[in-house]
Amino acid sequence: MTQIDKKVPALHIENLTMVYREEPVLWDVHVDFPQGQISAIIGPNGAGKSTLIKGAMGLLKPLSGHVEFLGKAFKEQYKNIAYVSQARDVNWDFPTTVLDVALMGRYSQLGWIRRPKASDKELAEAALDRMGLLSMANRQISELSGGQRQRVFLARALCQEAEILILDEPLQGVDKKTEGLIMQILDELGSQGKSIIVVHHDLNTVEAYFEHVVMLNRVLVADGPVDTTFTKGNIEKAYGKTLSTRKRETGTSTEPTQKEA
């Protein structure tokens, strides 16, 4: 069980501003993600959800801001951070096997020069088994379905044995069975004290899946516990009254259809 100091956030973001082609994508965002909880980042298309986590990890360069993971800079904590990107950001034609992808999770601990040991392979196989993919260990990743691919990259994150997991749209395009399995694994990790941050698209499942929510629309709209923050008023501020009213009245999905900046 991970020891949690609730005074220290898993991720602290202060005055973060992100610009793309001279246009503001995020403006002066200040937010904390608590340790030991499953947090969602939600907002409409173009709100800057993916940009927020990429800026925090240095994958995109901020115009300004200060970021800490567990009270330290990213470069001091990168071994403790596992990141699962969106499926569209991965080259699925790269010739590698399912087992090799899972093993990549060990390189942050081993370094890129040292070869994985038998114990590392056992850990990777256990992670694949946990995700129901051990029988596919020798398959090329190009042969997998969308849901299977998501599970492979979650297995890679499990292999890293990180304290913080950051997942960008892990439930996008997966079937209900895979969605249930992914959330079951995340719930188990959360109960072990891991801190989990998820960019999420479906408002209908926020209350069921998450403990903490961050609501964005280029600026921070609201953040806090789901039961007090995920309210009609805040949804209207983030998404606009038409969208939130339709969701509440009909229960229809609010999944985005345009590419996010």
Side-chain angles (χ1 to χ4, degrees):
M1 179 72 67
T2 301
Q3 296 296 317
I4 298 173
D5 181 355
K6 293 185 178 181
K7 295 180 181 179
V8 179
L11 171 57
H12 169 73
I13 296 175
E14 184 177 339
N15 306 128
L16 183 70
T17 296
M18 304 289 297
V19 175
Y20 179 68
R21 293 180 180 174
E22 299 184 357
E23 290 292 325
V25 179
L26 286 173
W27 188 259
D28 199 25
V29 173
H30 185 118
V31 66
D32 288 339
F33 292 84
Q35 279 197 61
Q37 293 190 24
I38 305 178
S39 300
I41 303 173
I42 64 172
N45 266 351
K49 302 183 295 294
S50 298
T51 302
L52 179 73
I53 58 175
K54 289 178 179 178
M57 292 188 295
L59 299 175
L60 295 175
K61 186 177 179 180
L63 180 66
S64 64
H66 176 75
V67 176
E68 292 179 353
F69 291 87
L70 298 173
K72 298 180 181 179
F74 176 79
K75 64 181 180 181
E76 298 178 69
Q77 289 284 22
Y78 73 93
K79 291 184 179 181
N80 280 322
I81 303 163
Y83 171 58
V84 178
S85 64
Q86 288 191 33
R88 70 187 183 198
D89 294 335
V90 178
N91 178 10
W92 296 107
D93 294 323
F94 188 78
T96 189
T97 67
V98 168
L99 179 59
D100 287 338
V101 172
L103 272 171
M104 290 177 187
R106 300 304 301 154
Y107 288 124
S108 64
Q109 310 296 329
L110 298 172
W112 289 99
I113 299 176
R114 292 172 57 191
R115 295 180 60 84
K117 299 177 292 186
S119 58
D120 296 308
K121 184 178 179 181
E122 290 173 1
L123 188 62
E125 290 175 340
L128 290 174
D129 189 35
R130 192 173 181 183
M131 299 307 302
L133 294 171
L134 185 57
S135 63
M136 302 180 182
N138 294 318
R139 286 195 189 182
Q140 295 288 311
I141 58 170
S142 59
E143 300 174 14
L144 303 184
S145 68
Q148 290 167 342
R149 290 171 177 178
Q150 290 289 62
R151 283 187 278 156
V152 170
F153 277 84
L154 184 52
R156 183 188 67 179
L158 293 176
C159 282
Q160 191 171 331
E161 298 184 312
E163 293 301 314
I164 301 172
L165 283 80
I166 300 176
L167 303 96
D168 195 351
E169 299 277 15
L171 306 181
Q172 180 77 47
V174 304
D175 58 37
K176 284 296 181 182
K177 182 178 179 181
T178 298
E179 180 173 313
L181 176 60
I182 290 173
M183 289 312 304
Q184 178 185 338
I185 297 296
L186 296 183
D187 281 340
E188 291 173 0
L189 293 171
S191 68
Q192 295 166 10
K194 305 293 186 182
S195 304
I196 301 163
I197 299 170
V198 179
V199 174
H200 190 60
H201 66 277
D202 185 1
L203 297 187
N204 295 310
T205 56
V206 170
E207 292 167 303
Y209 288 166
F210 301 99
E211 302 166 273
H212 185 89
V213 64
V214 171
M215 307 177 76
L216 292 178
N217 193 344
R218 297 184 180 259
V219 297
L220 179 67
V221 174
D223 71 290
V226 167
D227 57 356
T228 58
T229 306
F230 187 67
T231 63
K232 181 179 179 180
N234 285 334
I235 292 171
E236 290 176 354
K237 289 178 185 177
Y239 288 85
K241 187 173 182 179
T242 301
L243 175 60
S244 63
T245 300
R246 184 173 68 248
K247 185 265 177 183
R248 290 298 185 182
E249 291 178 351
T250 68
T252 55
S253 173
T254 56
E255 180 176 340
T257 56
Q258 299 176 358
K259 187 174 181 180
E260 178 181 327

PDB file of all heavy atoms in Angstrom, residues 201-214:
ATOM      1  N   HIS A 201     -14.104  11.613 -21.775  1.00  0.00           N
ATOM      2  CA  HIS A 201     -14.985  12.270 -22.731  1.00  0.00           C
ATOM      3  C   HIS A 201     -16.471  12.095 -22.446  1.00  0.00           C
ATOM      4  O   HIS A 201     -17.289  12.826 -22.999  1.00  0.00           O
ATOM      5  CB  HIS A 201     -14.705  11.737 -24.149  1.00  0.00           C
ATOM      6  CG  HIS A 201     -15.052  10.285 -24.310  1.00  0.00           C
ATOM      7  ND1 HIS A 201     -14.180   9.283 -23.926  1.00  0.00           N
ATOM      8  CD2 HIS A 201     -16.157   9.668 -24.774  1.00  0.00           C
ATOM      9  CE1 HIS A 201     -14.736   8.107 -24.163  1.00  0.00           C
ATOM     10  NE2 HIS A 201     -15.942   8.315 -24.664  1.00  0.00           N
ATOM     11  N   ASP A 202     -16.849  11.120 -21.644  1.00  0.00           N
ATOM     12  CA  ASP A 202     -18.261  10.768 -21.500  1.00  0.00           C
ATOM     13  C   ASP A 202     -18.806  11.267 -20.162  1.00  0.00           C
ATOM     14  O   ASP A 202     -18.505  10.707 -19.101  1.00  0.00           O
ATOM     15  CB  ASP A 202     -18.423   9.249 -21.620  1.00  0.00           C
ATOM     16  CG  ASP A 202     -19.883   8.808 -21.600  1.00  0.00           C
ATOM     17  OD1 ASP A 202     -20.766   9.677 -21.520  1.00  0.00           O
ATOM     18  OD2 ASP A 202     -20.130   7.586 -21.671  1.00  0.00           O
ATOM     19  N   LEU A 203     -19.637  12.289 -20.194  1.00  0.00           N
ATOM     20  CA  LEU A 203     -20.194  12.842 -18.964  1.00  0.00           C
ATOM     21  C   LEU A 203     -21.089  11.844 -18.227  1.00  0.00           C
ATOM     22  O   LEU A 203     -21.258  11.940 -17.013  1.00  0.00           O
ATOM     23  CB  LEU A 203     -21.006  14.101 -19.277  1.00  0.00           C
ATOM     24  CG  LEU A 203     -20.253  15.291 -19.876  1.00  0.00           C
ATOM     25  CD1 LEU A 203     -21.177  16.498 -19.960  1.00  0.00           C
ATOM     26  CD2 LEU A 203     -19.016  15.633 -19.083  1.00  0.00           C
ATOM     27  N   ASN A 204     -21.651  10.900 -18.943  1.00  0.00           N
ATOM     28  CA  ASN A 204     -22.583   9.958 -18.325  1.00  0.00           C
ATOM     29  C   ASN A 204     -21.931   9.035 -17.305  1.00  0.00           C
ATOM     30  O   ASN A 204     -22.627   8.445 -16.472  1.00  0.00           O
ATOM     31  CB  ASN A 204     -23.255   9.109 -19.412  1.00  0.00           C
ATOM     32  CG  ASN A 204     -24.121   9.943 -20.328  1.00  0.00           C
ATOM     33  OD1 ASN A 204     -24.945  10.727 -19.883  1.00  0.00           O
ATOM     34  ND2 ASN A 204     -23.912   9.791 -21.626  1.00  0.00           N
ATOM     35  N   THR A 205     -20.607   8.887 -17.356  1.00  0.00           N
ATOM     36  CA  THR A 205     -19.934   7.953 -16.453  1.00  0.00           C
ATOM     37  C   THR A 205     -19.034   8.637 -15.429  1.00  0.00           C
ATOM     38  O   THR A 205     -18.376   7.961 -14.649  1.00  0.00           O
ATOM     39  CB  THR A 205     -19.095   6.938 -17.261  1.00  0.00           C
ATOM     40  OG1 THR A 205     -18.173   7.646 -18.107  1.00  0.00           O
ATOM     41  CG2 THR A 205     -19.984   6.044 -18.110  1.00  0.00           C
ATOM     42  N   VAL A 206     -19.005   9.948 -15.422  1.00  0.00           N
ATOM     43  CA  VAL A 206     -18.119  10.662 -14.495  1.00  0.00           C
ATOM     44  C   VAL A 206     -18.434  10.302 -13.044  1.00  0.00           C
ATOM     45  O   VAL A 206     -17.541   9.987 -12.247  1.00  0.00           O
ATOM     46  CB  VAL A 206     -18.219  12.189 -14.707  1.00  0.00           C
ATOM     47  CG1 VAL A 206     -17.492  12.939 -13.589  1.00  0.00           C
ATOM     48  CG2 VAL A 206     -17.644  12.576 -16.064  1.00  0.00           C
ATOM     49  N   GLU A 207     -19.714  10.342 -12.675  1.00  0.00           N
ATOM     50  CA  GLU A 207     -20.084  10.090 -11.287  1.00  0.00           C
ATOM     51  C   GLU A 207     -19.816   8.648 -10.869  1.00  0.00           C
ATOM     52  O   GLU A 207     -19.512   8.378  -9.707  1.00  0.00           O
ATOM     53  CB  GLU A 207     -21.560  10.447 -11.080  1.00  0.00           C
ATOM     54  CG  GLU A 207     -21.818  11.945 -11.191  1.00  0.00           C
ATOM     55  CD  GLU A 207     -23.287  12.271 -11.299  1.00  0.00           C
ATOM     56  OE1 GLU A 207     -23.955  11.760 -12.222  1.00  0.00           O
ATOM     57  OE2 GLU A 207     -23.783  13.050 -10.446  1.00  0.00           O
ATOM     58  N   ALA A 208     -19.912   7.712 -11.810  1.00  0.00           N
ATOM     59  CA  ALA A 208     -19.700   6.301 -11.492  1.00  0.00           C
ATOM     60  C   ALA A 208     -18.223   5.942 -11.400  1.00  0.00           C
ATOM     61  O   ALA A 208     -17.840   5.080 -10.604  1.00  0.00           O
ATOM     62  CB  ALA A 208     -20.376   5.421 -12.548  1.00  0.00           C
ATOM     63  N   TYR A 209     -17.375   6.608 -12.192  1.00  0.00           N
ATOM     64  CA  TYR A 209     -15.991   6.173 -12.347  1.00  0.00           C
ATOM     65  C   TYR A 209     -14.976   6.964 -11.521  1.00  0.00           C
ATOM     66  O   TYR A 209     -13.890   6.455 -11.242  1.00  0.00           O
ATOM     67  CB  TYR A 209     -15.579   6.259 -13.813  1.00  0.00           C
ATOM     68  CG  TYR A 209     -16.195   5.224 -14.723  1.00  0.00           C
ATOM     69  CD1 TYR A 209     -16.132   5.364 -16.114  1.00  0.00           C
ATOM     70  CD2 TYR A 209     -16.827   4.098 -14.216  1.00  0.00           C
ATOM     71  CE1 TYR A 209     -16.678   4.418 -16.959  1.00  0.00           C
ATOM     72  CE2 TYR A 209     -17.384   3.149 -15.060  1.00  0.00           C
ATOM     73  CZ  TYR A 209     -17.303   3.318 -16.431  1.00  0.00           C
ATOM     74  OH  TYR A 209     -17.850   2.376 -17.275  1.00  0.00           O
ATOM     75  N   PHE A 210     -15.280   8.209 -11.154  1.00  0.00           N
ATOM     76  CA  PHE A 210     -14.244   9.080 -10.625  1.00  0.00           C
ATOM     77  C   PHE A 210     -14.593   9.655  -9.254  1.00  0.00           C
ATOM     78  O   PHE A 210     -15.756   9.795  -8.896  1.00  0.00           O
ATOM     79  CB  PHE A 210     -13.958  10.216 -11.610  1.00  0.00           C
ATOM     80  CG  PHE A 210     -13.523   9.724 -12.960  1.00  0.00           C
ATOM     81  CD1 PHE A 210     -14.425   9.638 -14.010  1.00  0.00           C
ATOM     82  CD2 PHE A 210     -12.216   9.308 -13.162  1.00  0.00           C
ATOM     83  CE1 PHE A 210     -14.024   9.149 -15.252  1.00  0.00           C
ATOM     84  CE2 PHE A 210     -11.812   8.817 -14.401  1.00  0.00           C
ATOM     85  CZ  PHE A 210     -12.719   8.742 -15.447  1.00  0.00           C
ATOM     86  N   GLU A 211     -13.535  10.005  -8.517  1.00  0.00           N
ATOM     87  CA  GLU A 211     -13.677  10.629  -7.203  1.00  0.00           C
ATOM     88  C   GLU A 211     -13.479  12.142  -7.260  1.00  0.00           C
ATOM     89  O   GLU A 211     -14.064  12.891  -6.477  1.00  0.00           O
ATOM     90  CB  GLU A 211     -12.643  10.035  -6.240  1.00  0.00           C
ATOM     91  CG  GLU A 211     -12.736   8.533  -6.062  1.00  0.00           C
ATOM     92  CD  GLU A 211     -11.506   7.980  -5.388  1.00  0.00           C
ATOM     93  OE1 GLU A 211     -10.517   7.656  -6.092  1.00  0.00           O
ATOM     94  OE2 GLU A 211     -11.523   7.872  -4.146  1.00  0.00           O
ATOM     95  N   HIS A 212     -12.626  12.576  -8.172  1.00  0.00           N
ATOM     96  CA  HIS A 212     -12.230  13.986  -8.272  1.00  0.00           C
ATOM     97  C   HIS A 212     -12.380  14.398  -9.733  1.00  0.00           C
ATOM     98  O   HIS A 212     -12.141  13.592 -10.637  1.00  0.00           O
ATOM     99  CB  HIS A 212     -10.774  14.138  -7.829  1.00  0.00           C
ATOM    100  CG  HIS A 212     -10.286  15.548  -7.771  1.00  0.00           C
ATOM    101  ND1 HIS A 212     -10.405  16.341  -6.661  1.00  0.00           N
ATOM    102  CD2 HIS A 212      -9.653  16.321  -8.703  1.00  0.00           C
ATOM    103  CE1 HIS A 212      -9.882  17.520  -6.887  1.00  0.00           C
ATOM    104  NE2 HIS A 212      -9.419  17.539  -8.124  1.00  0.00           N
ATOM    105  N   VAL A 213     -12.778  15.634  -9.981  1.00  0.00           N
ATOM    106  CA  VAL A 213     -12.964  16.077 -11.355  1.00  0.00           C
ATOM    107  C   VAL A 213     -12.372  17.465 -11.550  1.00  0.00           C
ATOM    108  O   VAL A 213     -12.452  18.330 -10.667  1.00  0.00           O
ATOM    109  CB  VAL A 213     -14.458  16.063 -11.750  1.00  0.00           C
ATOM    110  CG1 VAL A 213     -15.264  17.050 -10.909  1.00  0.00           C
ATOM    111  CG2 VAL A 213     -14.653  16.328 -13.237  1.00  0.00           C
ATOM    112  N   VAL A 214     -11.743  17.648 -12.705  1.00  0.00           N
ATOM    113  CA  VAL A 214     -11.228  18.944 -13.144  1.00  0.00           C
ATOM    114  C   VAL A 214     -11.956  19.294 -14.429  1.00  0.00           C
ATOM    115  O   VAL A 214     -11.928  18.528 -15.396  1.00  0.00           O
ATOM    116  CB  VAL A 214      -9.703  18.892 -13.374  1.00  0.00           C
ATOM    117  CG1 VAL A 214      -9.210  20.169 -14.042  1.00  0.00           C
ATOM    118  CG2 VAL A 214      -8.981  18.667 -12.058  1.00  0.00           C
TER     119      VAL A 214
END
